[in-house]
mmCIF file of all heavy atoms in Angstrom:
data_model
loop_
_atom_site.group_PDB
_atom_site.id
_atom_site.type_symbol
_atom_site.label_atom_id
_atom_site.label_comp_id
_atom_site.label_asym_id
_atom_site.label_seq_id
_atom_site.Cartn_x
_atom_site.Cartn_y
_atom_site.Cartn_z
ATOM 1 N N GLU A 1484 8.282 -15.095 -1.511
ATOM 2 C CA GLU A 1484 6.847 -15.059 -1.244
ATOM 3 C C GLU A 1484 6.505 -13.778 -0.472
ATOM 4 O O GLU A 1484 7.158 -13.421 0.501
ATOM 5 C CB GLU A 1484 6.437 -16.275 -0.410
ATOM 6 C CG GLU A 1484 4.934 -16.344 -0.164
ATOM 7 C CD GLU A 1484 4.528 -17.588 0.590
ATOM 8 O OE1 GLU A 1484 5.410 -18.469 0.786
ATOM 9 O OE2 GLU A 1484 3.365 -17.669 1.018
ATOM 10 N N ILE A 1485 5.476 -13.092 -0.979
ATOM 11 C CA ILE A 1485 5.062 -11.835 -0.376
ATOM 12 C C ILE A 1485 4.207 -12.109 0.866
ATOM 13 O O ILE A 1485 3.282 -12.916 0.819
ATOM 14 C CB ILE A 1485 4.273 -10.953 -1.371
ATOM 15 C CG1 ILE A 1485 5.080 -10.764 -2.645
ATOM 16 C CG2 ILE A 1485 3.934 -9.600 -0.758
ATOM 17 C CD1 ILE A 1485 6.396 -10.067 -2.470
ATOM 18 N N SER A 1486 4.512 -11.451 1.955
ATOM 19 C CA SER A 1486 3.784 -11.659 3.211
ATOM 20 C C SER A 1486 2.382 -11.053 3.149
ATOM 21 O O SER A 1486 2.085 -10.198 2.294
ATOM 22 C CB SER A 1486 4.544 -11.013 4.375
ATOM 23 O OG SER A 1486 4.589 -9.593 4.223
ATOM 24 N N THR A 1487 1.522 -11.516 4.047
ATOM 25 C CA THR A 1487 0.135 -11.007 4.103
ATOM 26 C C THR A 1487 0.109 -9.524 4.357
ATOM 27 O O THR A 1487 -0.645 -8.775 3.704
ATOM 28 C CB THR A 1487 -0.634 -11.735 5.238
ATOM 29 O OG1 THR A 1487 -0.706 -13.128 4.950
ATOM 30 C CG2 THR A 1487 -2.046 -11.165 5.368
ATOM 31 N N GLU A 1488 0.945 -9.057 5.293
ATOM 32 C CA GLU A 1488 0.914 -7.627 5.623
ATOM 33 C C GLU A 1488 1.363 -6.769 4.444
ATOM 34 O O GLU A 1488 0.864 -5.669 4.220
ATOM 35 C CB GLU A 1488 1.760 -7.320 6.872
ATOM 36 C CG GLU A 1488 3.242 -7.674 6.785
ATOM 37 C CD GLU A 1488 3.556 -9.079 7.281
ATOM 38 O OE1 GLU A 1488 2.631 -9.943 7.232
ATOM 39 O OE2 GLU A 1488 4.698 -9.301 7.717
ATOM 40 N N ALA A 1489 2.326 -7.265 3.652
ATOM 41 C CA ALA A 1489 2.778 -6.517 2.474
ATOM 42 C C ALA A 1489 1.683 -6.431 1.427
ATOM 43 O O ALA A 1489 1.460 -5.390 0.815
ATOM 44 C CB ALA A 1489 4.031 -7.167 1.884
ATOM 45 N N LYS A 1490 0.971 -7.550 1.223
ATOM 46 C CA LYS A 1490 -0.134 -7.578 0.248
ATOM 47 C C LYS A 1490 -1.253 -6.629 0.679
ATOM 48 O O LYS A 1490 -1.804 -5.878 -0.152
ATOM 49 C CB LYS A 1490 -0.669 -9.004 0.100
ATOM 50 C CG LYS A 1490 0.278 -9.986 -0.561
ATOM 51 C CD LYS A 1490 -0.328 -11.379 -0.584
ATOM 52 C CE LYS A 1490 0.637 -12.395 -1.200
ATOM 53 N NZ LYS A 1490 0.059 -13.777 -1.160
ATOM 54 N N ARG A 1491 -1.573 -6.657 1.944
ATOM 55 C CA ARG A 1491 -2.682 -5.830 2.429
ATOM 56 C C ARG A 1491 -2.278 -4.357 2.498
ATOM 57 O O ARG A 1491 -3.105 -3.479 2.312
ATOM 58 C CB ARG A 1491 -3.178 -6.356 3.775
ATOM 59 C CG ARG A 1491 -3.830 -7.726 3.622
ATOM 60 C CD ARG A 1491 -4.610 -8.162 4.839
ATOM 61 N NE ARG A 1491 -5.412 -9.342 4.529
ATOM 62 C CZ ARG A 1491 -6.203 -9.970 5.371
ATOM 63 N NH1 ARG A 1491 -6.306 -9.514 6.629
ATOM 64 N NH2 ARG A 1491 -6.898 -11.020 5.007
ATOM 65 N N PHE A 1492 -1.014 -4.117 2.775
ATOM 66 C CA PHE A 1492 -0.500 -2.742 2.741
ATOM 67 C C PHE A 1492 -0.695 -2.175 1.341
ATOM 68 O O PHE A 1492 -1.160 -1.042 1.165
ATOM 69 C CB PHE A 1492 0.970 -2.755 3.138
ATOM 70 C CG PHE A 1492 1.623 -1.408 3.099
ATOM 71 C CD1 PHE A 1492 1.559 -0.544 4.187
ATOM 72 C CD2 PHE A 1492 2.318 -0.981 1.976
ATOM 73 C CE1 PHE A 1492 2.158 0.702 4.172
ATOM 74 C CE2 PHE A 1492 2.918 0.265 1.932
ATOM 75 C CZ PHE A 1492 2.864 1.100 3.029
ATOM 76 N N LYS A 1493 -0.334 -2.952 0.339
ATOM 77 C CA LYS A 1493 -0.493 -2.518 -1.067
ATOM 78 C C LYS A 1493 -1.970 -2.327 -1.387
ATOM 79 O O LYS A 1493 -2.346 -1.372 -2.084
ATOM 80 C CB LYS A 1493 0.116 -3.554 -1.995
ATOM 81 C CG LYS A 1493 0.020 -3.180 -3.460
ATOM 82 C CD LYS A 1493 0.646 -4.236 -4.356
ATOM 83 C CE LYS A 1493 0.535 -3.862 -5.835
ATOM 84 N NZ LYS A 1493 1.138 -4.906 -6.697
ATOM 85 N N GLN A 1494 -2.815 -3.206 -0.870
ATOM 86 C CA GLN A 1494 -4.259 -3.096 -1.106
ATOM 87 C C GLN A 1494 -4.808 -1.793 -0.567
ATOM 88 O O GLN A 1494 -5.625 -1.116 -1.222
ATOM 89 C CB GLN A 1494 -4.986 -4.284 -0.456
ATOM 90 C CG GLN A 1494 -6.497 -4.254 -0.636
ATOM 91 C CD GLN A 1494 -7.173 -5.374 0.126
ATOM 92 O OE1 GLN A 1494 -6.601 -6.440 0.346
ATOM 93 N NE2 GLN A 1494 -8.415 -5.121 0.557
ATOM 94 N N VAL A 1495 -4.358 -1.396 0.632
ATOM 95 C CA VAL A 1495 -4.817 -0.136 1.243
ATOM 96 C C VAL A 1495 -4.413 1.039 0.348
ATOM 97 O O VAL A 1495 -5.219 1.943 0.077
ATOM 98 C CB VAL A 1495 -4.236 0.042 2.660
ATOM 99 C CG1 VAL A 1495 -4.539 1.441 3.178
ATOM 100 C CG2 VAL A 1495 -4.767 -1.014 3.603
ATOM 101 N N ARG A 1496 -3.172 1.009 -0.096
ATOM 102 C CA ARG A 1496 -2.687 2.102 -0.962
ATOM 103 C C ARG A 1496 -3.509 2.205 -2.246
ATOM 104 O O ARG A 1496 -3.945 3.312 -2.644
ATOM 105 C CB ARG A 1496 -1.208 1.897 -1.322
ATOM 106 C CG ARG A 1496 -0.680 2.943 -2.293
ATOM 107 C CD ARG A 1496 0.756 2.685 -2.698
ATOM 108 N NE ARG A 1496 0.938 1.471 -3.467
ATOM 109 C CZ ARG A 1496 0.658 1.369 -4.783
ATOM 110 N NH1 ARG A 1496 0.162 2.385 -5.439
ATOM 111 N NH2 ARG A 1496 0.898 0.224 -5.400
ATOM 112 N N GLU A 1497 -3.775 1.074 -2.879
ATOM 113 C CA GLU A 1497 -4.537 1.074 -4.131
ATOM 114 C C GLU A 1497 -5.983 1.499 -3.909
ATOM 115 O O GLU A 1497 -6.573 2.205 -4.743
ATOM 116 C CB GLU A 1497 -4.462 -0.301 -4.795
ATOM 117 C CG GLU A 1497 -3.070 -0.643 -5.296
ATOM 118 C CD GLU A 1497 -2.983 -2.067 -5.874
ATOM 119 O OE1 GLU A 1497 -3.855 -2.903 -5.553
ATOM 120 O OE2 GLU A 1497 -2.049 -2.303 -6.659
ATOM 121 N N ASP A 1498 -6.572 1.062 -2.787
ATOM 122 C CA ASP A 1498 -7.933 1.471 -2.475
ATOM 123 C C ASP A 1498 -8.060 2.974 -2.285
ATOM 124 O O ASP A 1498 -9.083 3.581 -2.603
ATOM 125 C CB ASP A 1498 -8.438 0.766 -1.217
ATOM 126 C CG ASP A 1498 -8.708 -0.724 -1.438
ATOM 127 O OD1 ASP A 1498 -8.765 -1.120 -2.617
ATOM 128 O OD2 ASP A 1498 -8.849 -1.451 -0.455
ATOM 129 N N LEU A 1499 -6.988 3.597 -1.778
ATOM 130 C CA LEU A 1499 -6.963 5.030 -1.555
ATOM 131 C C LEU A 1499 -6.603 5.812 -2.813
ATOM 132 O O LEU A 1499 -6.699 7.035 -2.842
ATOM 133 C CB LEU A 1499 -5.983 5.379 -0.444
ATOM 134 C CG LEU A 1499 -6.374 4.933 0.959
ATOM 135 C CD1 LEU A 1499 -5.190 5.080 1.924
ATOM 136 C CD2 LEU A 1499 -7.562 5.720 1.477
ATOM 137 N N GLY A 1500 -6.166 5.083 -3.856
ATOM 138 C CA GLY A 1500 -5.810 5.724 -5.113
ATOM 139 C C GLY A 1500 -4.505 6.513 -5.052
ATOM 140 O O GLY A 1500 -4.343 7.516 -5.756
ATOM 141 N N LYS A 1501 -3.572 6.062 -4.199
ATOM 142 C CA LYS A 1501 -2.309 6.764 -4.028
ATOM 143 C C LYS A 1501 -1.165 6.047 -4.779
ATOM 144 O O LYS A 1501 -1.163 4.835 -4.903
ATOM 145 C CB LYS A 1501 -1.926 6.863 -2.543
ATOM 146 C CG LYS A 1501 -2.966 7.588 -1.681
ATOM 147 C CD LYS A 1501 -3.084 9.050 -2.074
ATOM 148 C CE LYS A 1501 -4.088 9.758 -1.196
ATOM 149 N NZ LYS A 1501 -4.285 11.168 -1.649
ATOM 150 N N THR A 1502 -0.204 6.838 -5.259
ATOM 151 C CA THR A 1502 0.995 6.259 -5.805
ATOM 152 C C THR A 1502 1.889 5.813 -4.667
ATOM 153 O O THR A 1502 1.662 6.185 -3.510
ATOM 154 C CB THR A 1502 1.759 7.269 -6.696
ATOM 155 O OG1 THR A 1502 2.229 8.351 -5.850
ATOM 156 C CG2 THR A 1502 0.854 7.834 -7.788
ATOM 157 N N GLN A 1503 2.926 5.048 -4.988
ATOM 158 C CA GLN A 1503 3.832 4.578 -3.941
ATOM 159 C C GLN A 1503 4.544 5.747 -3.247
ATOM 160 O O GLN A 1503 4.749 5.731 -2.025
ATOM 161 C CB GLN A 1503 4.851 3.601 -4.527
ATOM 162 C CG GLN A 1503 4.228 2.286 -4.955
ATOM 163 C CD GLN A 1503 5.219 1.350 -5.624
ATOM 164 O OE1 GLN A 1503 6.157 1.794 -6.273
ATOM 165 N NE2 GLN A 1503 4.986 0.046 -5.470
ATOM 166 N N SER A 1504 4.898 6.755 -4.010
ATOM 167 C CA SER A 1504 5.573 7.914 -3.405
ATOM 168 C C SER A 1504 4.603 8.772 -2.578
ATOM 169 O O SER A 1504 4.970 9.269 -1.508
ATOM 170 C CB SER A 1504 6.231 8.777 -4.500
ATOM 171 O OG SER A 1504 5.267 9.220 -5.440
ATOM 172 N N GLU A 1505 3.379 8.944 -3.057
ATOM 173 C CA GLU A 1505 2.380 9.698 -2.315
ATOM 174 C C GLU A 1505 2.039 9.018 -0.981
ATOM 175 O O GLU A 1505 1.922 9.677 0.056
ATOM 176 C CB GLU A 1505 1.099 9.855 -3.134
ATOM 177 C CG GLU A 1505 1.220 10.800 -4.315
ATOM 178 C CD GLU A 1505 -0.006 10.771 -5.218
ATOM 179 O OE1 GLU A 1505 -0.767 9.759 -5.165
ATOM 180 O OE2 GLU A 1505 -0.174 11.709 -6.009
ATOM 181 N N PHE A 1506 1.905 7.690 -1.026
ATOM 182 C CA PHE A 1506 1.570 6.931 0.179
ATOM 183 C C PHE A 1506 2.724 6.984 1.188
ATOM 184 O O PHE A 1506 2.506 7.143 2.403
ATOM 185 C CB PHE A 1506 1.245 5.498 -0.199
ATOM 186 C CG PHE A 1506 0.393 4.774 0.802
ATOM 187 C CD1 PHE A 1506 -0.641 5.427 1.467
ATOM 188 C CD2 PHE A 1506 0.588 3.430 1.081
ATOM 189 C CE1 PHE A 1506 -1.458 4.768 2.380
ATOM 190 C CE2 PHE A 1506 -0.221 2.750 1.991
ATOM 191 C CZ PHE A 1506 -1.231 3.422 2.644
ATOM 192 N N ALA A 1507 3.937 6.918 0.681
ATOM 193 C CA ALA A 1507 5.107 6.988 1.545
ATOM 194 C C ALA A 1507 5.190 8.337 2.256
ATOM 195 O O ALA A 1507 5.520 8.417 3.437
ATOM 196 C CB ALA A 1507 6.375 6.736 0.725
ATOM 197 N N GLU A 1508 4.860 9.389 1.534
ATOM 198 C CA GLU A 1508 4.897 10.731 2.130
ATOM 199 C C GLU A 1508 3.830 10.858 3.231
ATOM 200 O O GLU A 1508 4.102 11.431 4.280
ATOM 201 C CB GLU A 1508 4.641 11.774 1.043
ATOM 202 C CG GLU A 1508 4.743 13.201 1.553
ATOM 203 C CD GLU A 1508 4.583 14.246 0.459
ATOM 204 O OE1 GLU A 1508 4.472 13.849 -0.730
ATOM 205 O OE2 GLU A 1508 4.555 15.442 0.783
ATOM 206 N N LEU A 1509 2.635 10.329 2.971
ATOM 207 C CA LEU A 1509 1.562 10.373 3.977
ATOM 208 C C LEU A 1509 1.975 9.655 5.256
ATOM 209 O O LEU A 1509 1.674 10.108 6.364
ATOM 210 C CB LEU A 1509 0.270 9.748 3.417
ATOM 211 C CG LEU A 1509 -0.583 10.589 2.508
ATOM 212 C CD1 LEU A 1509 -1.728 9.756 1.953
ATOM 213 C CD2 LEU A 1509 -1.130 11.800 3.230
ATOM 214 N N LEU A 1510 2.642 8.526 5.107
ATOM 215 C CA LEU A 1510 3.006 7.687 6.246
ATOM 216 C C LEU A 1510 4.383 8.002 6.806
ATOM 217 O O LEU A 1510 4.808 7.341 7.782
ATOM 218 C CB LEU A 1510 2.940 6.198 5.835
ATOM 219 C CG LEU A 1510 1.582 5.712 5.337
ATOM 220 C CD1 LEU A 1510 1.698 4.259 4.829
ATOM 221 C CD2 LEU A 1510 0.526 5.809 6.406
#
């Protein structure tokens, strides 16, 4: 089961239009 923070973390990334690698680099 995916945790709330993981789901919302993904939501932030998608709202910003970033790929997983781009978001990782920013953070």
Side-chain angles (χ1 to χ4, degrees):
E1484 184 177 352
I1485 305 299
S1486 65
T1487 297
E1488 60 269 25
K1490 291 177 182 177
R1491 293 193 169 180
F1492 178 86
K1493 181 180 180 181
Q1494 179 185 331
V1495 172
R1496 176 183 66 79
E1497 292 177 339
D1498 288 346
L1499 291 169
K1501 301 295 181 184
T1502 65
Q1503 291 176 329
S1504 58
E1505 289 172 340
F1506 203 38
E1508 184 177 356
L1509 280 174
L1510 301 175

